Amino acid sequence: MANYKLVFTGPVGAGKTTAIITLSDIAPIGTDASATDMTANRKPQTTVAMDYGMMKINATERIHLYGTPGQERFDFMWEILSEGGIGLVLMLDNSRSTAFQDLHFFLTAFKDFIQGRGVVIGITHMDSHPTPTINEYHAQLQGTGLNPPIFEVDARNRADMLTLIKSLLYSIDPGLEEHV
Amino acid sequence: MMSITSPDKLHPILIGLSHISERSAAAIETLLRSSTQCQALIVAAHEAEILILDLDAGNPRALWLEFRQRFPTQPVIVLSLAEQHLAEVVWVKKPVKPTLLLEAITLVSKQIQRITPIQPVASTPINQITPVNKAQNKPNKEVSNLAAEPAVIAPITISNPAKTKSKPAPQTRDVTQAMDDEINHNTFGNRPDFDPGSKEIPAHVFYDPHVMLQGLLTDTLKVARADGKSRVIEGVLAVILVIPDPPGWVMTQASTQRIRAISVMHMANMQDTRVRELIEHEHLTLLPKIPLENFLWLISLSAARGRVPLGTDLHAPIKLERWPNFTRLEAIPHAMRISALWLTQAMSLLDTAAHLHIPQRYVFAFYSAANAIGIASIITTSTGSKNLVATHSTSHSGKPVANKQDAPKERSSFLGKLLNRLMRD
Ligand SMILES: Nc1nc2c(ncn2[C@@H]2O[C@H](COP(=O)(O)OP(=O)(O)OP(=O)(O)O)[C@@H](O)[C@H]2O)c(=O)[nH]1
Ligand SMILES: [Mg+2]
């Protein structure tokens, strides 16, 4: 049986760890450490290696949730993430002045991963920072060949995260059907 | 059928809810909205002409006393499991049957109307009218009898006429189930699909946004965007401030329920509607702020009720510009599947319903809302309508993908299982 996984990425403080905690059936295995100088002024806890969580689908099957560290050194875990990865969840923090640069940086860094898989984008902290708007993110992607779901989410909100993941599945396979 | 209007006949009757759960409130609101006999609006309790009180929300006696202290004069409809004999009260047994509740509202509305001519002072408190005390012995008095009574409000029991004599039989459907169906029906209509092959398209699949709040708002927005000045819409049973600054905002005190109710009304019935410029330093700017997109989505979805704007070509392919911001928009069944499909290939409204095996009204509802916020439109081709057009190459994220490493079938079945796991949540 294949070992399927979802990969969560994005800049420091975007809500990757929180999103995995929100979705995971098990207490996630975090690797948060006190922030280095680089991030100390932003938040007290930052992820230095990988986050891991898991959702049970049925008695035998699971979906694994991996979060990359937010400090731009994920090349070393490339192999792990690629195998069985079904899609990328890019979390972006709307309060960062570099939000659009972040968008392009991560889409470029994960270009090969996205190819043949799916990608969705969750914009966090819109409660405190309503701009830029979702429309402006879409406008950023004009001409890039990508037109993924981009939703306002709060990483702490399970309904938001579930909606985001559902859209990922539908964008990978529009033919999926709900059997409710 | 009796029809409900406010005494002055210009406005819908204003209904307030007291101690009604959010879920039931939503159900009652959609029930009112859907009713053809009823022009009624849910408003804040202190603005209401008629109040509906759930007496099972606490100790009935204490609740009643507290209620009458707060609202000594308003006509009231009481909902409860146990029969109630309260003066000046119309009682509806729970679980509430939608038809009986409408009947109760109709009855009380009529009473208000009949009182008005007898007491020329419009503000005559209802509690000054002598209740018919004897009537308490006949709680099961028929509605028709009461209509013949003089201008008084007596305790009345509204119950299923077939069951008035004996104890009511156990209800087969409970109120929430019945009301859930009502909500679904009323947001999306309940018309069956029509045959896509038939030459004639039934008129009932269309609605006219221009005669509704949706049209008024779109027109107001155009004017506001042209000169960059905020506008205030008044006289639509709510004050709506329209702010053109990108991306566009709406400010209003009105609840979602109230906005939904206003959205289905014909603006022609609103005699005092006016649009004016915002006066500087007006206090309106303290009202709750809603992104324009979310507001437009809500009112167009409510107005459409499973239909499409007049003039929409049901056979022409649709183009969807981008995914709607689904986490912040009123839900529409199957909207994600439709989005994923339209971003992969343009397809007509009728073909979409057939292709996804879903009722046409959901496709129509989704199109109407997405069209209102400017992200979905008809593709007009010089060669006429074609049903299938590949979308521009830039929207490839929706393409079904076959991952080289995985057996596509196994992965696809896994995605299906994962989706259903998420749906169960
Ligand atoms: N106000 C607000 N807070 C949010 C939102 N989403 C996440 N947060 C909070 O943002 C903080 C940072 O979230 P994390 O999950 O630690 O971010 P991360 O992406 O794992 O960060 P690194 O590990 O440093 O890369 C947490 O306190 C979250 O609770 C949001 O939408 N609004
Ligand atoms: Mg983290």
Side-chain angles (χ1 to χ4, degrees):
Chain A
M1 186 174 307
N3 206 14
Y4 291 113
K5 60 188 69 143
L6 290 175
V7 179
F8 291 71
T9 195
V12 170
K16 304 174 294 290
T17 302
T18 310
I20 290 174
I21 292 171
T22 299
L23 287 168
S24 183
D25 288 340
I26 55 162
I29 300 161
T31 46
D32 280 8
S34 287
T36 61
D37 291 355
M38 191 171 115
T39 56
N41 54 348
R42 286 199 67 87
K43 59 198 286 280
Q45 292 281 300
T46 193
T47 308
V48 291
M50 276 197 287
D51 291 309
Y52 171 77
M54 182 262 282
M55 281 179 100
K56 292 178 190 146
I57 290 170
N58 52 39
T60 54
E61 288 170 289
R62 315 262 178 274
I63 176 87
H64 305 280
L65 314 172
Y66 283 93
T68 68
Q71 296 188 45
E72 305 171 12
R73 9 177 187 122
F74 35 72
D75 24 335
F76 69 92
M77 64 192 71
W78 193 251
E79 295 261 305
I80 313 172
L81 296 181
S82 301
E83 196 211 333
I86 56 174
L88 182 72
V89 181
L90 172 55
M91 307 286 289
L92 295 173
D93 177 353
N94 216 41
S95 72
R96 281 165 60 97
S97 56
T98 52
F100 289 155
Q101 280 145 263
D102 295 340
L103 170 77
H104 294 295
F105 172 85
F106 283 95
L107 288 179
T108 308
F110 281 85
K111 199 173 173 201
D112 294 338
F113 180 84
I114 293 168
Q115 199 66 47
R117 298 188 180 84
V119 58
V120 289
I121 301 173
I123 314 291
T124 61
H125 295 85
M126 287 193 84
D127 46 336
S128 52
H129 293 77
T131 55
T133 64
I134 297 289
N135 251 332
E136 290 172 87
Y137 281 96
H138 279 289
Q140 285 288 318
L141 293 186
Q142 288 242 318
T144 63
L146 289 172
N147 193 3
I150 305 179
F151 299 165
E152 171 178 349
V153 297
D154 186 321
R156 300 163 296 185
N157 183 319
R158 188 166 165 88
D160 282 2
M161 293 314 302
L162 288 171
T163 301
L164 189 64
I165 306 300
K166 277 181 215 165
S167 75
L168 173 66
L169 303 182
Y170 280 123
S171 64
I172 295 169
D173 183 358
L176 285 181
E177 279 184 54
E178 305 143 29
H179 308 278
V180 198
Chain B
M1 269 281 184
M2 291 172 286
S3 94
I4 303 176
T5 45
S6 189
D8 64 9
K9 290 207 180 293
L10 286 181
H11 289 309
I13 197 105
L14 305 179
I15 310 255
L17 304 178
S18 185
H19 293 89
I20 306 278
S21 70
E22 206 173 300
R23 190 178 158 86
S24 307
I28 291 172
E29 182 270 313
T30 37
L31 172 67
L32 294 178
R33 184 152 54 91
S34 67
S35 165
T36 48
Q37 70 183 88
C38 178
Q39 278 261 44
L41 248 197
I42 307 278
V43 296
H46 66 272
E47 299 172 318
E49 295 170 286
I50 299 175
L51 286 161
I52 302 179
L53 167 71
D54 185 345
L55 215 52
D56 298 334
N59 174 302
R61 201 183 136 70
L63 208 66
W64 176 246
L65 291 177
E66 179 237 10
F67 175 83
R68 266 307 178 217
Q69 212 157 30
R70 276 183 68 204
F71 306 105
T73 60
Q74 265 107 327
V76 57
I77 295 167
V78 160
L79 316 179
S80 67
L81 284 165
E83 197 162 333
Q84 298 296 334
H85 303 258
L86 298 161
E88 297 169 18
V89 157
V90 172
W91 172 67
V92 178
K93 184 175 169 47
K94 294 205 304 192
V96 173
K97 283 204 155 190
T99 49
L100 296 181
L101 183 59
L102 283 179
E103 211 172 299
I105 295 170
T106 307
L107 174 63
V108 180
S109 308
K110 287 201 130 201
Q111 289 171 339
I112 301 174
Q113 273 175 280
R114 272 188 294 108
I115 289 161
T116 319
I118 298 169
Q119 310 282 343
V121 186
S123 60
T124 303
I126 305 284
N127 67 350
Q128 287 178 11
I129 295 156
T130 327
V132 182
N133 291 321
K134 293 278 182 291
Q136 290 188 9
N137 302 328
K138 295 181 184 174
N140 286 339
K141 195 182 260 260
E142 291 292 334
V143 173
S144 51
N145 287 347
L146 189 106
E149 295 274 346
V152 293
I153 295 186
I156 309 144
T157 299
I158 302 270
S159 56
N160 200 326
K163 290 165 186 159
T164 41
K165 294 276 144 51
S166 55
K167 268 194 168 179
Q171 302 285 341
T172 44
R173 297 166 81 210
D174 106 304
V175 65
T176 47
Q177 180 55 49
M179 297 268 188
D180 270 354
D181 292 353
E182 291 287 339
I183 290 180
N184 194 34
H185 285 172
N186 298 317
T187 310
F188 304 103
N190 51 6
R191 307 247 185 212
D193 288 359
F194 72 94
D195 174 11
S198 71
K199 282 228 175 81
E200 296 228 334
I201 294 170
H204 65 67
V205 305
F206 298 109
Y207 79 107
D208 185 358
H210 301 293
V211 301
M212 306 173 109
L213 181 62
Q214 186 185 342
L216 179 62
L217 186 79
T218 331
D219 291 346
T220 306
L221 192 65
K222 260 186 218 142
V223 182
R225 279 191 171 141
D227 63 9
K229 290 183 189 152
S230 299
R231 292 295 193 289
V232 184
I233 302 176
E234 290 171 320
V236 291
L237 298 162
V239 175
I240 301 168
L241 173 57
V242 180
I243 305 170
D245 313 350
W249 299 91
V250 162
M251 294 176 93
T252 181
Q253 193 76 57
S255 66
T256 304
Q257 285 176 33
R258 188 159 180 179
I259 294 299
R260 278 207 201 101
I262 300 168
S263 302
V264 298
M265 289 175 184
H266 277 227
M267 287 294 115
N269 294 335
M270 310 249 177
Q271 311 252 322
D272 313 320
T273 306
R274 79 184 181 119
V275 179
R276 61 168 174 87
E277 272 184 33
L278 178 72
I279 303 159
E280 241 184 289
H281 307 306
E282 222 175 327
H283 288 318
L284 289 178
T285 42
L286 300 172
L287 294 174
K289 199 170 173 184
I290 309 158
L292 179 74
E293 180 176 291
N294 303 8
F295 191 79
L296 255 177
W297 178 278
L298 173 71
I299 62 172
S300 53
L301 181 63
S302 305
R305 296 185 57 213
R307 299 169 295 175
V308 290
L310 213 54
T312 306
D313 184 349
L314 305 182
H315 295 283
I318 305 293
K319 180 180 175 189
L320 185 67
E321 304 286 342
R322 61 165 175 86
W323 282 82
N325 180 22
F326 277 124
T327 50
R328 296 294 177 268
L329 298 169
E330 197 80 358
I332 303 173
H334 310 291
M336 277 206 192
R337 295 179 65 201
I338 304 170
S339 302
L341 178 67
W342 286 352
L343 284 163
T344 315
Q345 56 183 144
M347 199 183 267
S348 78
L349 292 163
L350 293 176
D351 287 345
T352 301
H355 183 86
L356 295 176
H357 307 289
I358 57 181
Q360 290 163 354
R361 58 182 183 274
Y362 295 129
V363 182
F364 296 168
F366 176 68
Y367 174 73
S368 293
N371 178 251
I373 65 168
I375 64 169
S377 55
I378 299 281
I379 300 176
T380 40
T381 52
S382 48
T383 51
S385 325
K386 273 197 293 169
N387 286 348
L388 220 76
V389 174
T391 44
H392 51 78
S393 59
T394 57
S395 67
H396 85 176
S397 81
K399 268 181 202 159
V401 281
N403 193 331
K404 284 169 208 112
Q405 298 99 301
D406 305 328
K409 238 193 191 154
E410 184 197 303
R411 193 170 81 139
S412 171
S413 107
F414 180 81
L415 292 181
K417 282 183 266 187
L418 174 55
L419 177 69
N420 283 291
R421 161 70 184 79
L422 301 180
M423 293 295 188
R424 280 202 311 273
D425 202 273

